[in-house]
Amino acid sequence: MSNRFRVTGTVARPSQTRRSPAGIVISRFVLAHHSQQQEAGLAREAQFHIEVVCTGDPLASQAAALTQDQQVRIEGFITRENYRDADRKLALHAQLIELMSE
């Protein structure tokens, strides 16, 4: 099965970084996306916020350096934000972060 996601957006909440109990660096930030998409021949506004999870160096360090309102492209996969909760909120687990030119 395939689970690949690529999106551009703006950093809505800067990164918070911590270490897991296993000592792995994890950075999380919120990405805001807003665009116009075509659906059934009509323009549709697409707008959402999504939690982005960056695990391990150097990706977590790159995420930690991002500033609010910075434009980025994120590539990775989608999964539940928290496996311990019944909540099915999704998170984007980044595998690549690209800074967008302004």
Side-chain angles (χ1 to χ4, degrees):
M1 293 206 180
S2 180
N3 181 351
R4 189 80 181 143
F5 191 76
R6 179 175 63 191
V7 65
T8 57
T10 304
V11 176
R13 188 188 77 212
S15 182
Q16 297 175 343
T17 303
R18 67 175 182 84
R19 286 201 178 268
S20 73
I24 298 169
V25 179
I26 301 170
S27 290
R28 294 175 173 264
F29 66 94
V30 174
L31 183 76
H33 172 86
H34 184 236
S35 65
Q36 291 286 326
Q37 303 295 318
Q38 290 293 312
E39 182 176 42
L42 300 171
R44 179 181 178 145
E45 185 176 351
Q47 187 171 350
F48 61 86
H49 284 76
I50 191 165
E51 181 97 8
V52 179
V53 180
C54 303
T55 305
D57 278 323
L59 197 61
S61 296
Q62 186 180 5
L66 296 175
T67 59
Q68 189 154 346
D69 298 326
Q70 193 166 18
Q71 292 187 352
V72 294
R73 176 181 295 128
I74 309 294
E75 290 187 27
F77 62 93
I78 299 288
T79 191
R80 285 183 10 202
E81 184 176 330
N82 188 339
Y83 285 98
R84 289 173 261 193
D85 290 341
D87 185 16
R88 301 285 185 200
K89 185 175 176 185
L90 298 178
L92 171 55
H93 284 248
Q95 295 171 311
L96 176 70
I97 299 172
E98 288 182 276
L99 302 179
M100 305 296 292
S101 57
E102 311 256 349

